[in-house]
Amino acid sequence: MSNLPHKSNWIDGSHQQPTHQQIHIINPATEEKIATIDSTPLEAVNSIIASSLQNFSSGVWSKANASTRFGVLSKAASLLRSRLPEFIDLETQQTGRPIREMRAQLARIPEWLEYFASLARTHEGRVTPFKGPVVNTLTRLALGVVVQITPWNHPLLIATKKIAAALAAGNSVIVKPSESAPLSVLEMGKLFKEAGLPDGTLQIVSGYGRETGKFLCESPFVSKIDLTGGLATYEAIAPTASKNMVPITAELGGKAPVCFFPSMPIEKGVKAALFASFIASGQTCVTGSRLLIHSDIYDEFVKLLVERTKALRIGNPVDDKTQIGAVISRTSVERCSAFVSRAISEGGNVLCGGEPTSVNGKGFFFAPTLIETKCGSDLACNEVFGPVIALIKCQSEEEIIKVANATSFALGVSVWTNDFSQAHRVAERIDAGIVWINGHHLNDPSSPWGGFKESGLGKENGIEAFESYTKVKSTVINYGQEPTWFDDEVENARYG
């Protein structure tokens, strides 16, 4: 047995005995093994789903009143806020992201629990304008057992977004965090139990996506799948979900354009580009991975951007001075290198970076990279998920819009201009689920998050997410319409 600490599955209100098959968790900044987790087999998955189904059917949470759900989620928010330092340390260790980034991100996560707690307490049904002496009430009911597949790039944030919405609506939840960075999510079980969530309402199951995740998504007893991942993962689970009549919310990725117009001061624009492109070492679905720069400012903009990019501090993520941390794995380093090689072969011009690096000879690091390229190139169209950024010179507003729309992704875009009319004109014409004007990476629990085209289906955040975890029951109450179908007054009958 390993001497490493083990984080086992959280099932029915406690951490279970470790499974025989275990997975090592690697700190990507040091390449050290820091923990082990369970690799959950099919038999255990089926047992967990059965337990979750029993929990839902019991009504202990699904039938709990709104004030109870509000109280539990609100207390969970308070507990999480009081324990942020331990979660920040875990996130930094397992993702290799700079601790300064993790402090900023995790400080906001309790807001999602508070927001959905409030929705649970205040969201109301409605009465439709049904014709005649009839009252038609619409009520929202929990779906049942829902499965959530969460990623490694924002482990706690994305898991909390999904968990909060699903629990607020009254569902029983099974979460499978990524096998690359599951530790912080596995710790959430104890926190929710302390907040008063009934045992078995939230199950946290670890394992490989191709095994444990697949087993969960193929179960006919699951009522919804919520996935953040890649298009290949969606394509793998969609056929079975379709056969089982299971709805899917899928957040699948992006190739976000960051559009710079001449009215934006160069200094401010360059700061915006650095923030959009290199937060989390470019490992976010809305990374500003395509900088579309108007030709009137291109040369001056790029000169300063290259200078600032070269000055970014790569280092140990636990150092407060570090600005660029690790990518998640050696495979990610190799993927970044492959994109650079293809960009060069297509005539791209590497302005800075372009190579793997290390800190004290260790870690999965890749230097922040800027490459001049053209619309339609591999780098301009496909998601790197790393700090390799395409720069594209555009001659006009019309060309910026055309290039921005020239990929199969449509998640996020930012438009940087001080021309008010232009801002709205461009935002209206770019095809994306999220448009920021003079901002990037802005997020709020009330703001729907999700894209179009190959970026996915459905929304996280907001009332839209809450309602996606419910089904609508229509109750039609006749208080004055007499049945007339088989009497002599057929012309007065109501039907259909």
Side-chain angles (χ1 to χ4, degrees):
M1 294 291 291
S2 171
N3 291 323
L4 294 171
H6 182 79
K7 300 285 186 181
S8 59
N9 291 341
W10 178 264
I11 307 299
D12 295 336
S14 66
H15 284 295
Q16 302 297 289
Q17 289 296 316
T19 61
H20 178 67
Q21 297 294 326
Q22 296 181 7
I23 301 169
H24 286 94
I25 307 303
I26 308 296
N27 181 330
T30 64
E31 302 182 51
E32 295 174 339
K33 296 175 181 178
I34 56 174
T36 59
I37 59 168
D38 297 327
S39 177
T40 310
L42 177 59
E43 298 78 13
V45 167
N46 288 339
S47 176
I48 291 163
I49 292 172
S51 177
S52 296
L53 189 60
Q54 183 178 21
N55 170 274
F56 180 79
S57 299
S58 75
V60 64
W61 184 254
S62 60
K63 302 297 183 183
N65 61 48
S67 60
T68 297
R69 293 180 197 163
F70 170 83
V72 170
L73 292 174
S74 296
K75 186 172 181 182
S78 297
L79 291 171
L80 179 56
R81 190 170 278 117
S82 70
R83 296 172 189 174
L84 282 176
E86 64 186 87
F87 283 100
I88 289 166
D89 288 344
L90 275 176
E91 292 271 283
T92 301
Q93 288 182 53
Q94 66 184 356
T95 65
R97 284 183 63 179
I99 196 165
R100 55 191 271 170
E101 287 186 16
M102 302 321 302
R103 287 197 191 104
Q105 184 178 90
L106 269 65
R108 293 205 58 206
I109 293 178
E111 295 176 30
W112 268 262
L113 293 164
E114 291 166 340
Y115 173 80
F116 283 105
S118 297
L119 270 188
R121 190 70 183 91
T122 62
H123 194 278
E124 299 174 350
R126 62 188 177 93
V127 177
T128 72
F130 204 107
K131 184 178 179 181
V134 175
V135 174
N136 180 198
T137 64
L138 303 184
T139 52
R140 290 190 173 272
L141 307 174
L143 294 174
V145 176
V146 300
V147 165
Q148 300 172 338
I149 308 296
T150 64
W152 50 260
N153 59 327
H154 305 297
L156 197 62
L157 172 62
I158 293 178
T160 303
K161 287 164 110 180
K162 298 181 190 298
I163 291 168
L167 289 180
N171 297 281
S172 296
V173 180
I174 303 175
V175 183
K176 195 210 82 69
S178 167
E179 62 272 18
S180 296
L183 303 179
S184 56
V185 180
L186 284 164
E187 284 295 302
M188 288 293 281
K190 290 185 291 186
L191 186 146
F192 274 100
K193 182 182 178 76
E194 187 175 342
L197 188 70
D199 291 348
T201 308
L202 173 63
Q203 320 273 43
I204 306 173
V205 183
S206 60
Y208 293 109
R210 63 182 180 271
E211 296 172 355
T212 304
K214 179 174 180 288
F215 302 150
L216 287 166
C217 292
E218 289 180 345
S219 170
F221 301 108
V222 166
S223 295
K224 177 182 170 72
I225 298 167
D226 192 337
L227 160 73
T228 297
L231 182 59
T233 304
Y234 171 77
E235 290 173 341
I237 67 174
T240 302
S242 176
K243 179 181 177 182
N244 291 339
M245 296 291 288
V246 175
I248 301 177
T249 294
E251 207 275 82
L252 302 178
K255 191 68 182 175
V258 188
C259 309
F260 293 102
F261 292 93
S263 63
M264 178 57 56
I266 299 293
E267 176 79 19
K268 183 175 180 179
V270 167
K271 288 181 179 179
L274 293 171
F275 177 69
S277 300
F278 295 122
I279 286 290
S281 295
Q283 299 173 113
T284 82
C285 52
V286 290
T287 288
S289 56
R290 292 184 293 153
L291 306 184
L292 314 186
I293 307 165
H294 196 284
S295 59
D296 288 357
I297 58 171
Y298 185 85
D299 291 342
E300 186 180 356
F301 190 104
V302 171
K303 179 181 178 181
L304 182 58
L305 179 63
V306 170
E307 177 185 314
R308 296 287 177 81
T309 300
K310 288 180 177 178
L312 292 173
R313 295 186 295 274
I314 302 170
N316 188 328
V318 300
D319 186 340
D320 279 325
K321 295 181 180 179
T322 293
Q323 295 173 307
I324 302 294
V327 294
I328 194 65
S329 66
R330 191 177 304 280
T331 299
S332 289
V333 173
E334 293 167 354
R335 179 177 172 84
C336 290
S337 294
F339 265 96
V340 172
S341 296
R342 286 194 295 271
I344 293 171
S345 71
E346 291 181 333
N349 179 28
V350 179
L351 300 178
C352 62
E355 297 178 339
T357 185
S358 64
V359 174
N360 298 322
K362 293 287 186 178
F364 309 129
F365 293 86
F366 202 88
T369 301
L370 300 173
I371 303 178
E372 291 179 311
T373 187
K374 295 180 179 180
C375 181
S377 69
D378 178 63
L379 181 61
C381 293
N382 296 307
E383 190 172 36
V384 181
F385 229 67
V388 181
I389 309 303
L391 275 59
I392 302 175
K393 185 177 184 178
C394 298
Q395 300 299 321
S396 64
E397 175 185 308
E398 190 66 28
E399 185 179 2
I400 285 178
I401 294 169
K402 181 180 178 181
V403 174
N405 288 332
T407 75
S408 59
F409 296 104
L411 179 54
V413 56
S414 61
V415 178
W416 294 84
T417 175
N418 282 336
D419 182 331
F420 180 83
S421 297
Q422 181 179 61
H424 286 276
R425 189 168 62 240
V426 173
E428 182 179 37
R429 293 184 59 195
I430 293 181
D431 193 18
I434 307 161
V435 180
W436 293 291
I437 296 175
N438 296 342
H440 204 99
H441 291 298
L442 300 175
N443 195 2
D444 190 87
S446 66
S447 178
W449 180 283
F452 310 143
K453 299 195 286 189
E454 289 185 6
S455 285
L457 303 166
K459 301 291 183 182
E460 291 181 334
N461 297 352
I463 293 173
E464 288 79 2
F466 176 85
E467 291 186 343
S468 77
Y469 275 102
T470 67
K471 55 191 176 186
V472 177
K473 175 175 282 189
S474 178
T475 302
V476 183
I477 307 161
N478 175 12
Y479 64 87
Q481 178 71 46
E482 294 297 326
T484 57
W485 181 255
F486 287 111
D487 66 13
D488 293 334
E489 303 295 331
V490 173
E491 65 272 17
N492 295 322
R494 289 174 58 83
Y495 63 93

